């Protein structure tokens, strides 16, 4: 069974600095996808970034990048130049090729300080 | 473009009552999902469907039922509501079940059982 672990319940970062949110996963499927979602206080789920298990390069989307270390089974989200609007819950999720569902970690609450 | 629409947004139930959370999507997605999110926690999969007429259990299916008679609609039925079902419920869809397919979420339905 797949499993997603986010070990940081809460993180603080100073505005304009970079922050890394940790995510580790467990799967025996060689083909899988990793996703990060943002959930602001308004409650909606916003897709941020995707990394495939066979992708050779780390994914990037604007200020978001994914530090993918396949051997360590980690997929950390890096947010550069943090903004006050980045304050939110962040969820890591995984989808295996042999499963039809997507499972989520417990989330990390990020607070950006002015 | 409506995307994924959930109704109602808020509902208060008494213990033992039943209700249906409605979910519809206009993106012609085959895959649909129901998640619940307890306060301060991640999303847990209740049920999912890979197409009309096909449904399957997720991590926490007890106390719920689903049906999928059309591609667009995926209602979630709560029978004999219990306080433990107090949560925010999210419906989501994806184009296919492949690992690259991110989920598109509805805005959530906040349910309180008293």
């Amino acid at each position: 069974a797949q499993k997603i672990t986010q070990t940081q319940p809460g993180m603080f970062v100073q505005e304009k600095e970079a922050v890394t949110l940790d995510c580790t996963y467990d799967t025996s499927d060689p083909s899988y996808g990793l996703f990060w979602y943002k959930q602001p206080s308004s409650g909606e789920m916003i897709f941020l970034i995707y990394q495939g298990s066979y992708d050779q390069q780390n994914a990037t989307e604007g200020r978001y990048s994914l530090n993918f270390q396949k051997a360590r089974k980690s997929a950390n989200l890096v947010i550069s130049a943090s903004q006050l609007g980045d304050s939110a819950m962040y969820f890591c999720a995984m989808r295996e090729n042999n499963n039809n569902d997507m499972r989520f970690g417990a989330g990390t609450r990020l607070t950006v300080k002015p | 473009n409506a995307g994924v629409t959930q109704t109602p947004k808020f509902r208060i139930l008494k213990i033992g009552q039943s209700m249906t959370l409605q979910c519809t999507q206009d993106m012609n997605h085959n895959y649909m999902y129901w998640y619940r999110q307890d306060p301060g926690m991640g999303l847990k999969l209740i049920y999912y469907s890979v197409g009309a007429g096909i449904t399957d259990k997720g991590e926490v299916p007890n106390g719920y039922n689903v049906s999928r008679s059309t591609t667009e609609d995926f209602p979630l039925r709560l029978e004999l509501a219990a306080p433990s079902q107090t949560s925010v419920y999210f419906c989501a869809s994806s184009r296919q079940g492949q690992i690259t397919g991110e989920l598109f979420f509805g805005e959530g339905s906040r349910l309180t059982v008293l």
Side-chain angles (χ1 to χ4, degrees):
Chain A
Q2 61 194 69
K3 182 178 178 182
I4 306 291
T5 303
Q6 295 180 253
T7 58
Q8 306 155 313
M11 289 282 287
F12 292 88
V13 65
Q14 207 68 34
E15 193 178 8
K16 300 181 184 178
E17 292 186 349
V19 63
T20 298
L21 307 183
D22 295 341
C23 173
T24 58
Y25 58 92
D26 183 27
T27 180
S28 57
D29 194 329
S31 180
Y32 51 90
L34 297 157
F35 303 78
W36 278 90
Y37 286 83
K38 173 184 178 181
Q39 187 180 42
S41 58
S42 52
E44 73 268 32
M45 296 290 288
I46 302 168
F47 167 69
L48 295 178
I49 195 167
Y50 162 82
Q51 178 84 44
S53 60
Y54 291 119
D55 292 344
Q56 294 297 314
Q57 292 187 324
N58 287 342
T60 61
E61 288 287 348
R63 294 187 299 111
Y64 304 109
S65 61
L66 206 151
N67 183 3
F68 181 46
Q69 298 186 45
K70 192 171 182 177
R72 299 179 62 181
K73 294 188 175 178
S74 74
N76 299 338
L77 177 70
V78 181
I79 305 175
S80 63
S82 296
Q83 302 173 355
L84 296 178
D86 293 334
S87 293
M89 283 289 287
Y90 288 82
F91 293 100
C92 180
M94 180 171 68
R95 197 168 200 171
E96 295 172 319
N97 191 49
N98 292 325
N99 269 328
N100 292 315
D101 59 15
M102 183 180 292
R103 301 296 174 99
F104 286 77
T108 296
R109 181 173 297 281
L110 177 66
T111 302
V112 180
K113 295 182 174 181
Chain B
N1 189 4
V4 179
T5 303
Q6 294 180 231
T7 56
K9 287 186 170 45
F10 302 93
R11 182 74 185 267
I12 298 175
L13 281 181
K14 293 183 178 179
I15 294 172
Q17 287 186 321
S18 300
M19 75 160 296
T20 299
L21 297 175
Q22 301 292 345
C23 176
T24 186
Q25 51 90 10
D26 63 359
M27 297 174 283
N28 201 32
H29 285 172
N30 287 324
Y31 287 68
M32 295 188 75
Y33 307 82
W34 275 106
Y35 289 89
R36 61 175 286 174
Q37 184 181 26
D38 297 334
M41 305 293 286
L43 280 71
K44 291 191 181 299
L45 182 64
I46 305 171
Y47 271 96
Y48 65 98
S49 169
V50 302
I54 306 170
T55 62
D56 209 346
K57 296 178 180 179
E59 301 170 90
V60 290
N62 291 342
Y64 307 94
N65 278 300
V66 293
S67 60
R68 184 93 182 272
S69 57
T70 67
T71 298
E72 295 79 19
D73 301 309
F74 190 40
L76 177 71
R77 177 82 177 164
L78 281 73
E79 305 281 3
L80 299 175
S84 61
Q85 293 178 304
T86 294
S87 192
V88 178
Y89 292 83
F90 286 96
C91 180
S93 72
S94 68
R95 185 173 59 252
Q96 293 290 349
Q98 73 264 25
I99 60 174
T100 57
E102 79 267 26
L103 300 188
F104 294 81
F105 283 87
E107 294 182 340
S109 299
R110 184 177 296 274
L111 175 67
T112 303
V113 182
L114 300 175

